[in-house]
Structure formats: C-alpha cells, structure tokens
Amino acid sequence: MITSAWPVIRSQSSEDDPCIRSTFAVGLEVHGVRQWDYNSRMTSTGQSNGQARQAQDVDAIPTLAWAARPDGSAEFLNRRWLDYTGLSAEEASDWGWAAAVHTEDRDRLLDFWRRLLASGEAGEIEARLRRYDGEYRWFLFRIEPVRDNHGGTLKWYGANTDIEDRKRAEALLAAEKRTLEMIASGACLTDILERLCETIDAHDPKIRSAVMLMDADGIHLRPAAAPRLPKGWVESITPLKIGPCVGSCGTAASLKRRVIVSDIATDPLWADYRTLALSYGLRAAWSQPLISKNQEVLGTICLYYAEPRSANDTDLRLIEGADHIAVIAIEGERSQEALRSASEEIRNSEARLRKIIDTIPTIAWCTLPDGTGIFWNRRWHEYTGLSLEVVRGWGWQDAIHPEDLKEITDKWRGDLAAGQPGEVEGRLRRFDGVYRWFLFRAEPLRDESGNIVNWYGTDTDIDDLKRAEAKLRKDEEELRRMTDAIPQTIIVLNPDGKAIYANRVALEYSGLSLDEVLADDFRARVFHPDDVQRLREERYKALSGTAPFENEQRALGNDGKYRWFLIRYNPLLDKSGKVIRWYATGTDIDDRKCAEDRLRNETVALREQIDRDSMFEDIVGSSEALRKVLRQVDKVAHSDSTVLILGATGTGKELIARAIHKRSNRGERAFIGVNCAAIPASLIASELFGHEKGAFTGATQRRLGRFESANGGTVFLDEIGDLPQEIQIALLRVLQEREIERVGSNRPIPVDVRVLAATHRDLNELVAEGMFRQDLLYRLNVVPIEMPSLRDRAPDIPLLVEYFIDRFGKKAGKKFRTIDRRTLKLLQAYSWPGNVRELQNVIERAVILSEGDIFCVDETWLKGQAPQFAGPTAALNSTLQRQEKKMIEAALAESAGRVSGPNGAATKLGLPRPTLDAKIRRLGINKYRFKVHPSN
C-alpha cells in the first residue's frame, strides 16, 4: 500500500533551479525503502553521471514507477515497469504505455488522466495492467505533480501498486454480502451459487468455476452451479459418485481435503474421466470440499482451467474464500429450509392441537399469566352458549353460579399469585340456564427460565358424581345406624386400608373417639406393636387384592389390656370389580387363645415327661449292667465332654450315643453319625471336613463335611479305631482348636461340635502297635462308657425278644399270642457272639417265617452259629496271617509305602487296591512307616 507520493525524478539539465532542488530534496518511504535525498547523491562529475545514478536509484525502487511531461506523455518508466509489461522503453514512451492497460479500463483511465492534466492536481485510480504473459492484474495508479516556484507543472511522477489480492478479497467480501442479502431475501440456493460462480469467474476469464452439492444418499455429488462449464461435461458428471480416485471433486469429497490437479492429462486421479475432460478442453482442476461445522461434507467447489496450471497463494486464498461463502449459502439454505419446515410443522401442530382440543370430550381453556382469558375450546362455547367476545378477559365469570363465584375467583387469584396448579369445585351454567357441578383445574406452563407463559385449564362435569356421593353419604348414614346396633366391632376402611368409620362397639371397646379412629396413627395406638410389625407386609399385600382375608391381632381395650381378636376383612366392589370399601369385623377370641396356650403348655410338659420316661427309646432292658450304663449316660449327657463308647459289635453303641445327644443341651440340633471303617481312606478327609471346588479330580463344587453340617450339634464317630493316621491328626486339631480346614483350602473354619466316638477294638493295643495316636486317645477317652455284651445282660433277653417280636410283627402285619417256651429257653442259653444285633436278626427271621400265633425259633439256626474254639485250624490260620502280613510289608517296603499306581504294592502283589487296603487294616499294618522322607 502506498502511503505517500513516489520521489520525483529530475530530468532537466539545470542543477540550480531552486524549485527542482527543493523537490528532489524530499525523500519518501515506499514499501520499507528508506528515505533518500537526491541532492546528497549529486556529485561534481557532471549532469550525465547524476542522471545515470538517478535512473539506477529509480530502477531499484520495489514498485512500478514512471515520470511524464507536463502534457502527460511518458518520459521515463523504470525497469520494473518495463519488465512487468514486457514493453521496451521505446514502445512505452509517450502514450505507448496505454497499450498495457486492459481495454475495458483504458478509456476510463485516459479520461481520468486528462482531467488531472487539466486541473494540475494529484490523483489515483484503479485499473488492470497486462503482465508480460498476457495476464491482467489490478493496480492502483497514483499520480503526483511537481511544480515550479510560480505553481506551474514541471513534471508528473507516478507509481503503480499491485492490488489484485485486495480486489479479490473485496470481491469475495462483496459476494459474501450479496449471498447473505440473497439468503435474507429468500433467494433460492441455485441462484446464490450461480452468482458466486459468476463472481469467481469475473476474476479471470480463464477460470470456469462450479459448485457441486452432496446428494441425499451421501455418496453422490450433483452440479448446482456451473455457468461457464460446457453443458455436455456437466451432464456427463451428473451424478458423480465420490471416491478416493474420482477426479478432483469426487476425491476431495471422499477425503475431506483440498485436491489440486495441475494437469488432468497426467494426474492418476483423473484416470476414469481424463479423456472426457480433455475433450471439453479442461486441463487443470482445483477442488475444495465444502464442510459444515459438524464436519459433514456439503459438496465441493471447483476451479477449472483450459491449460495446465499450478495454484499459488493468491489462488488458494480465492478458493478458500469461495469455499467459505458457499458453505454460508448452503447452511443458510438448510437453516431456511429447516425454519420453513419447523414453521409449517408448528402451523400444522397448532391446527391439529386446536382440532384435538375442540374434539376432546371435556371443556378446555387458556389464559395469559395474569389470568386474562384468551381461548376456550368449542365444547365450552357450546355448553355455555357464550361467544368468545363475551367471555374474553374475565367475562367467563358470567357463567359461574353466583353462590360459587367468590370462592372460585378467590381461589383462582390465589393460584395466580402462587404460580402453582390448583383446582376448585363450582357450578357452571349451561346454555339452557341449568347449573351443573364442575371440577375446575388449572396448570401453569413455564418457559426454560421458569417464567409462566400461559395457564391451561379443564372443567370436568362432576354433577353425577356429586349426586352419587350425596346418595352414598345417605346410604352410609343408614349403614352406620345398622352397624351400631350389631354387638361386634366393625371398622370401615378405604381401599388403602385407612379407617374411615368405626361402629359404636369398636369405639366403646377402644375408648377412642371417631376422630381418633380416623387418625393416621390409629393402628399403632390400638394394636399390639408386635402384631403390627408381624402383619404389615401380609396386610398390605392382601389389601392390594380383592379377595377376603383374615388375621389374628391383639387390640388394646379401654381398660389398658390387650385381648386377641379374629379380624375378617371383606371387600365391597363396584361394577368393574374395583374395591370401594373394606369392612373389617373383629371377634373376641382371647378366651380361646388362652385355652390354646394352656393346652400347648400342657402338651409341652407332657412331651417332656414322655421324653424323661422314654429317654432311652430303643434301649430295652433292666439288667444291672445296662442300668449302670444308663446312669453314666444321664450324668455325662449335659456336659460337652468327649465320650468314648467301648464294646463288642452289635451291643448298641450308636443307641447310647443318640441317647447322650438327645439328653444334652444340643438335643434340638443335628446328630450326624460316621462309620470310619466304611469310608475309603482316600475319601474320609473330604467326608469329615468337606472340600473346595477343584480340590481333587471329581470335586466339581464345594461340599460341606460332616463336622460343618453338625455345627452346634453332635458328631458320632463309629469304629474310630479304623481311622487313618493322617485323619487322626486333623481330628486331634478339631478337638483341641475347635476348627477344621476343608480339603483344598488353608483357611480355618471354626466349628462348635460335640464328638462322641465308639469302637470294638482295643485302642491301647493299637497305640502300642503305632496304629493309633496316644494324644488322640487321651482326648477321646475323657469319659469312657463300656457297653456290656448280651451274655452279660442275660436277664434282658426276654424283654428284648418281646420288643423285637412286637416291632417286626407290626411291620409284617402279624400278631403273636405267645412265645414258645422252648424257644425262650433256647434264646437264653445261647451265647450270642453277635450280641443284640444278632438277636434282632434272628427274631426278624422268625417273625417272617413263623406260622400261626405262637412265636418259635428253629433250633438249628442257633446250633449252626455256635462259637468255634481255637484248635489246630486256628493255629494254621494264625500262621497264614503272619505269612500274609510279611508278604504285604515286604511289598510296601519295596514300593516305599505306596499302595496304588504302577509301582505300588497292590500291583506287585497282583491284588486290587481296595482288597489290599482291607487286608492292611485287618492285619494292622502301618503302611506309613514304609514311606521314604525327602530328607532320606
């Protein structure tokens, strides 16, 4: 931008002209060139040298500069001017410079120049100047006269400044302004884009601009404006599918970035359209995607050229400016379309809403925030017979019953002041003069700031309801008179279960007034707190249904005492099956409840007596040996001490254990028995202590052991002498620490279990043989009880025989009148090596096989079971057992104590593993002493 006149250049020979010297003495700064003083550059070498230096200085100025004679003919043009236009000094001298001015601007420029020559004043004008390559660019021509002392014009100096970029920017701004004006005036998008393309094309006759818009499918572009493009080309690319290699526009839309193709003939992006484009004379194409604020591709704008051309900074600014304007136009059109659609939708919605409001079977209205009425629907006008002109504002009050007008008006003004919804009942006059009861409801509509915009209301006809309520009140009064005469407490409840009426008997019993009965805390005041809490959920669930129900509760009387009542609830349903009322009747059952409690207490006492009398249930007998055991049981039962029950097989050790448990403080809890000899050694740990999921193969889920299952109760460990030694250690921990660990877990679990144990083996002998831990024996043998054999309690045999005959006879459906005398003697004489269990089996067999009503036993049954005394056979068996034991111990030693597996003792001996385990237990072999420790 030129901020001052160019320095004048002296061309006359006189150096002493004071006017010229003063003029040359003025230095001006142009585009950052520092001021220069022509006089300081004059030397004494003569005028020719000064003029040469003068020309060099002017050529060095970074602008197009020239000098003209007083008549306007060019006298001097600097090197930059000649280089830019491509004219020689001779061609441009005098008036030849005018040939470089655009033909459309030439006459205008010459007229302006002549006016300046006539007036002698400085001036400036804009015009296009042709470059050496034939391209025209806009320049600002600035002209300044140099005068003598008398005011006459000596010379004219001028400078031409390139303003092409500014002109383009101004044109784009003007186009943007026109676009906004066209949008505001409602011009269509096509016209706006056409004007935009015309503005772009006006910058350069070689430009052929086009705007393409994205199709609704989001994958095609369609030309919207292309005033200078060949029609055939436009038709051939309609529509244009976008993609990463589809010319300039298709690629720009696909990649969302500018695509500059300098030569269509060689660029690979134009492979599919190259021949067609070249046939229409298109060689260069620059495309800019039109992207909205939310990064949506709206289309593209493209500048085509007829010759190969690369984009410079000015070109890029042009296309960016055009992009900005096109986006404004497209989004403006979209906004206008959205606004038009929204307006149309609002108009349609208003019409539909008005139609709906006029159609709905109720009276509706609307007012301003101050309560001034502005709208009533058609039904309101038809009902009242009043027109909108009459009721507008506060004229609607004419339709209100005079007796209700003040109440309704005061309520309405109060709701307006509070800004809260409200309702009131009143009578509204019909067109025929009849008044009917209505429920007037009003609701405020607020904007986003919370300010009330309008009030909306409805008037609902409740005249029939009011009449029904009046009739219901009359019927209820009659019903109350009837219920007061009934000698039973009656309370009427609403559907939610709240009391709304209580008859005279209920009021007299409770000592409460009707208002106190109707209060919210009625149930809490009258019924026992435990019953209120106990029946809360049950009562709430029953009241939500429609079926009658009943419950028993204690009600507080006026004497301060609670009495039991049976309360029956019966619903009153309307025609649709909905509950209108609940009727609750209370029947005094306190005497019955007391009788039941007495009976229950007597029953409990009787049961306790029976338990005491039959504390040993299946333990039958009265011999002194048995009585001694039972006395021990009675003493030890109430403690938590460990009991070890000793005795031969079949003597009833488990019965004694059960008797101890039942008489103990744990009698109501679990009693769990475990036969240690019946469970494989590999499973007994899991059986007793449980296991975690995945603890071993087959452990698919967590399992509780017997000790956890019996927590709080008793565990009976039968055949404790057969317990493996590794389990003995775990059991010892249970007895000492009162905690267990599941198999596969290291987390201790506390247990509260009493342990009772039993065995037919000599534990002291097992301890001596190293097969039973001595410390465990100490823990188990706190209270030893030794069961006598059946031989030692022979007097009990007749009682046992009668007991088993009765027991198995009932089971078999037989009844025996008497027992054969020989049978009884035979049973008493027999030694019973199997003890009570053997006797039980013999009696059961005889009951099944006996015929008639006399019980008898075949004598051969007992002879065949006579005991065998040791003799030569016994000695042979003993020898065989010792040999077998040696062979098994040798195999265990060879297999390092391993029983199973390919190198185990079972494989070496050719025996199944379970069979070998049984022999090891039977022979009392300690297989653990053969195991090799890691330290060895």
Side-chain angles (χ1 to χ4, degrees):
M1 190 75 176
I2 303 298
T3 57
S4 60
W6 284 93
V8 292
I9 302 174
R10 178 177 176 183
S11 61
Q12 294 184 0
S13 59
S14 173
E15 298 180 4
D16 300 326
D17 189 324
C19 179
I20 295 177
R21 293 177 63 85
S22 63
T23 303
F24 283 171
V26 179
L28 300 174
E29 183 178 15
V30 180
H31 293 297
V33 180
R34 298 297 300 171
Q35 294 182 351
W36 58 278
D37 187 343
Y38 179 77
N39 287 343
S40 66
R41 296 176 179 271
M42 300 296 290
T43 64
S44 60
T45 56
Q47 182 176 349
S48 60
N49 291 339
Q51 289 178 341
R53 284 194 302 274
Q54 174 186 339
Q56 291 176 359
D57 292 338
V58 174
D59 287 340
I61 297 174
T63 190
L64 309 185
W66 47 270
R69 303 179 184 91
D71 62 357
S73 59
E75 180 183 22
F76 169 79
L77 297 101
N78 72 343
R79 175 53 54 192
R80 287 182 180 270
W81 198 100
L82 298 175
D83 289 343
Y84 176 83
T85 60
L87 299 178
S88 64
E90 292 76 13
E91 292 173 333
S93 62
D94 294 332
W95 294 89
W97 57 269
V101 179
H102 196 287
T103 55
E104 296 179 1
D105 302 333
R106 188 178 301 158
D107 294 341
R108 178 172 55 85
L109 177 62
L110 292 175
D111 290 342
F112 175 78
W113 181 220
R114 293 188 185 98
R115 287 197 300 274
L116 290 184
L117 293 174
S119 64
E121 299 296 330
E124 60 183 35
I125 188 173
E126 296 176 355
R128 283 167 288 186
L129 194 62
R130 186 185 65 220
R131 201 165 56 190
Y132 62 90
D133 57 0
E135 180 180 350
Y136 286 93
R137 293 181 63 84
W138 282 95
F139 278 80
L140 175 64
F141 291 75
R142 281 183 172 170
I143 306 166
E144 189 81 30
V146 177
R147 306 180 188 278
D148 58 17
N149 293 335
H150 305 289
T153 301
L154 295 176
K155 279 186 184 298
W156 291 87
Y157 291 97
N160 300 347
T161 304
D162 191 326
I163 59 171
E164 178 69 19
D165 293 344
R166 192 197 75 188
K167 293 291 285 185
R168 288 191 177 187
E170 290 175 351
L172 290 175
L173 289 174
E176 182 176 351
K177 180 180 179 183
R178 285 196 303 273
T179 299
L180 296 175
E181 291 173 349
M182 293 178 73
I183 292 173
S185 63
C188 67
L189 181 61
T190 302
D191 293 343
I192 297 173
L193 297 179
E194 286 282 350
R195 290 294 300 275
L196 174 61
C197 288
E198 291 172 358
T199 302
I200 297 172
D201 294 346
H203 282 281
D204 190 341
K206 299 177 183 179
I207 297 177
R208 300 178 185 181
S209 60
V211 176
M212 303 186 77
L213 299 181
M214 182 64 73
D215 216 343
D217 60 8
I219 59 174
H220 289 92
L221 294 170
R222 292 182 181 273
R228 294 181 60 183
L229 278 178
K231 185 176 180 181
W233 168 252
V234 174
E235 292 175 352
S236 63
I237 62 171
T238 304
L240 178 67
K241 186 175 182 180
I242 67 173
C245 293
V246 185
S248 297
C249 292
T251 305
S254 175
L255 303 180
K256 292 187 178 182
R257 59 181 174 81
R258 182 189 304 145
V259 175
I260 303 296
V261 175
S262 301
D263 191 353
I264 293 175
T266 60
D267 198 290
L269 297 180
W270 281 83
D272 295 337
Y273 290 89
R274 178 177 292 116
T275 303
L276 184 63
L278 294 177
S279 67
Y280 285 103
L282 306 178
R283 288 297 300 272
W286 311 337
S287 183
Q288 174 81 14
L290 307 177
I291 300 177
S292 65
K293 295 178 180 177
N294 57 1
Q295 298 303 304
E296 176 189 0
V297 178
L298 305 176
T300 62
I301 185 167
C302 187
L303 305 186
Y304 293 93
Y305 289 91
E307 67 280 340
R309 181 182 177 116
S310 299
N312 55 33
D313 293 341
T314 302
D315 297 326
L316 295 180
R317 285 195 293 270
L318 173 63
I319 197 169
E320 288 173 356
D323 163 39
H324 174 67
I325 297 172
V327 170
I328 291 175
I330 296 170
E331 291 193 328
E333 173 67 16
R334 288 191 171 187
S335 300
Q336 290 292 335
E337 181 62 29
L339 182 60
R340 286 192 295 270
S341 299
S343 300
E344 183 65 22
E345 181 64 25
I346 291 173
R347 286 193 295 272
N348 294 337
S349 298
E350 288 179 349
R352 288 195 301 270
L353 180 60
R354 185 175 293 274
K355 185 175 181 180
I356 291 171
I357 292 175
D358 286 339
T359 305
I360 57 176
T362 191
I363 294 174
W365 45 268
C366 175
T367 74
L368 296 175
D370 61 356
T372 303
I374 58 174
F375 169 77
W376 288 261
N377 69 342
R378 178 170 52 82
R379 287 184 178 270
W380 198 96
H381 293 295
E382 291 176 351
Y383 179 84
T384 61
L386 302 177
S387 65
L388 179 61
E389 290 73 17
V390 174
V391 300
R392 194 189 302 274
W394 293 82
W396 52 269
Q397 293 177 316
D398 293 341
I400 305 298
H401 195 286
E403 295 178 0
D404 303 331
L405 181 60
K406 185 177 185 306
E407 179 185 355
I408 292 176
T409 303
D410 291 345
K411 181 67 169 62
W412 177 224
R413 293 187 185 279
D415 293 340
L416 292 174
Q420 297 297 324
E423 61 180 40
V424 65
E425 295 179 357
R427 285 164 287 184
L428 188 65
R429 186 184 64 221
R430 201 165 58 189
F431 63 91
D432 57 1
V434 176
Y435 285 95
R436 291 180 63 85
W437 281 96
F438 277 78
L439 175 63
F440 300 89
R441 284 178 174 167
E443 188 85 22
L445 174 66
R446 302 179 184 273
D447 58 17
E448 295 178 354
S449 302
N451 300 318
I452 296 177
V453 179
N454 288 109
W455 285 84
Y456 290 92
T458 59
D459 303 342
T460 305
D461 191 326
I462 59 171
D463 197 75
D464 295 338
L465 179 62
K466 296 283 284 188
R467 294 176 186 274
E469 288 178 348
K471 185 177 184 303
L472 182 61
R473 283 194 297 270
K474 183 177 180 181
D475 293 343
E476 286 182 347
E477 290 175 1
E478 181 65 23
L479 180 61
R480 287 176 182 177
R481 285 193 293 269
M482 294 171 59
T483 56
D484 284 343
I486 298 174
Q488 190 177 25
T489 58
I490 298 175
I491 297 178
V492 183
L493 313 172
N494 66 11
D496 297 331
K498 186 178 184 299
I500 58 176
Y501 172 73
N503 72 340
R504 178 181 52 80
V505 177
L507 297 178
E508 290 177 353
Y509 173 80
S510 63
L512 302 177
S513 65
L514 182 59
D515 290 338
E516 290 174 320
V517 171
L518 302 184
D520 293 336
D521 61 346
F522 166 66
R523 283 183 53 77
R525 293 183 60 179
V526 171
F527 295 105
H528 196 284
D530 294 345
D531 298 336
V532 173
Q533 180 68 23
R534 173 173 57 88
L535 298 172
R536 177 176 285 111
E537 294 297 328
E538 176 185 333
R539 181 174 181 271
Y540 176 79
K541 183 177 180 181
L543 288 173
S544 62
T546 58
F549 65 97
E550 64 182 39
N551 55 48
E552 295 179 358
Q553 301 184 62
R554 286 164 288 183
L556 183 65
N558 56 12
D559 58 354
K561 297 180 180 179
Y562 284 99
R563 293 183 65 84
W564 281 97
F565 279 80
L566 173 63
I567 303 177
R568 293 188 172 94
Y569 295 82
N570 289 282
L572 174 63
L573 308 178
D574 60 12
K575 294 180 180 180
S576 63
K578 185 179 179 181
V579 176
I580 302 175
R581 295 282 190 273
W582 285 96
Y583 290 92
T585 59
T587 303
D588 192 325
I589 58 170
D590 195 72
D591 294 339
R592 191 197 77 187
K593 294 288 286 186
C594 292
E596 290 177 352
D597 290 341
R598 285 195 301 272
L599 181 61
R600 187 180 301 106
N601 293 335
E602 292 171 358
T603 302
V604 171
L606 181 59
R607 286 180 178 174
E608 291 177 352
Q609 181 63 37
I610 292 173
D611 287 342
R612 285 193 298 271
D613 294 343
S614 60
M615 59 176 284
F616 302 116
E617 295 179 339
D618 292 338
I619 303 176
V620 179
S622 60
S623 64
E624 181 57 30
L626 182 61
R627 287 179 178 274
K628 179 181 177 181
V629 171
L630 297 181
R631 284 195 295 271
Q632 287 180 294
V633 169
D634 195 31
K635 291 178 180 179
V636 77
H638 295 287
S639 71
D640 271 345
S641 300
T642 304
V643 178
L644 179 61
I645 305 172
L646 305 171
T649 301
T651 54
K653 296 187 289 295
E654 184 172 351
L655 292 177
I656 293 299
R658 289 184 179 275
I660 293 174
H661 169 71
K662 188 166 184 180
R663 295 296 297 169
S664 72
N665 298 330
R666 303 171 182 265
E668 299 297 326
R669 307 301 292 271
F671 175 88
I672 294 180
V674 182
N675 191 325
C676 300
I679 302 174
S682 59
L683 297 178
I684 193 166
S686 170
E687 191 70 23
L688 292 178
F689 309 122
H691 62 256
E692 296 289 345
K693 180 179 179 181
F696 50 84
T697 303
T700 57
Q701 60 183 2
R702 174 186 288 180
R703 182 178 183 274
L704 299 183
R706 300 295 181 91
F707 275 91
E708 279 190 87
S709 300
N711 194 27
T714 302
V715 168
F716 174 56
L717 301 177
D718 198 5
E719 301 300 343
I720 189 71
D722 293 314
L723 196 67
Q725 285 197 341
E726 64 268 24
I727 307 303
Q728 294 178 24
I729 298 173
L731 178 60
L732 181 62
R733 180 181 180 182
V734 174
L735 297 175
Q736 290 178 341
E737 307 296 337
R738 296 293 177 178
E739 62 183 24
I740 64 169
E741 287 183 6
R742 297 194 191 107
V743 177
S745 171
N746 56 6
R747 183 174 64 88
I749 301 174
V751 291
D752 176 22
V753 175
R754 184 180 189 180
V755 177
L756 305 179
T759 183
H760 72 283
R761 304 180 67 177
D762 188 346
L763 296 183
N764 288 315
E765 183 179 342
L766 294 177
V767 169
E769 295 176 358
M771 297 177 62
F772 200 85
R773 296 181 63 91
Q774 190 172 31
D775 50 0
L776 178 59
L777 177 59
Y778 293 153
R779 283 288 179 180
L780 293 174
N781 199 25
V782 175
V783 180
I785 296 178
E786 186 170 356
M787 288 296 297
S789 66
L790 189 55
R791 293 190 303 273
D792 296 333
R793 42 183 294 212
D796 293 335
I797 291 178
L799 294 176
L800 288 169
V801 170
E802 290 181 2
Y803 173 77
F804 288 134
I805 290 175
D806 181 65
R807 175 177 170 183
F808 296 123
K810 290 178 180 178
K811 186 175 181 181
K814 294 182 179 183
K815 189 172 184 180
F816 297 95
R817 181 172 53 84
T818 184
I819 302 175
D820 182 71
R821 186 174 299 177
R822 286 188 306 164
T823 295
L824 188 58
K825 289 182 178 180
L826 180 64
L827 296 177
Q828 288 177 316
Y830 184 61
S831 61
W832 299 110
N835 293 296
V836 179
R837 184 178 296 121
E838 183 182 6
L839 175 63
Q840 175 182 332
N841 294 337
V842 170
I843 300 300
E844 183 176 8
R845 185 197 310 176
V847 168
I848 295 172
L849 300 179
S850 292
E851 297 179 356
D853 58 356
I854 298 177
F855 178 80
C856 60
V857 174
D858 191 339
E859 186 175 352
T860 60
W861 296 350
L862 300 181
K863 288 182 179 180
Q865 298 178 10
Q868 301 295 325
F869 297 99
T873 304
L876 178 60
N877 289 338
S878 176
T879 302
L880 291 175
Q881 287 180 359
R882 285 196 299 273
Q883 184 65 27
E884 186 178 23
K885 184 175 182 181
K886 289 181 179 180
M887 293 175 63
I888 293 174
E889 288 179 342
L892 288 172
E894 186 178 349
S895 60
R898 180 183 294 275
V899 176
S900 60
N903 298 320
T907 303
K908 296 181 182 298
L909 295 172
L911 295 174
R913 184 186 58 78
T915 302
L916 182 58
D917 282 334
K919 288 180 178 293
I920 290 173
R921 288 197 300 271
R922 180 170 56 81
L923 297 174
I925 299 173
N926 182 11
K927 61 183 178 181
Y928 298 100
R929 63 192 180 91
F930 298 102
K931 290 188 177 292
V932 178
H933 295 283
S935 60
N936 297 329

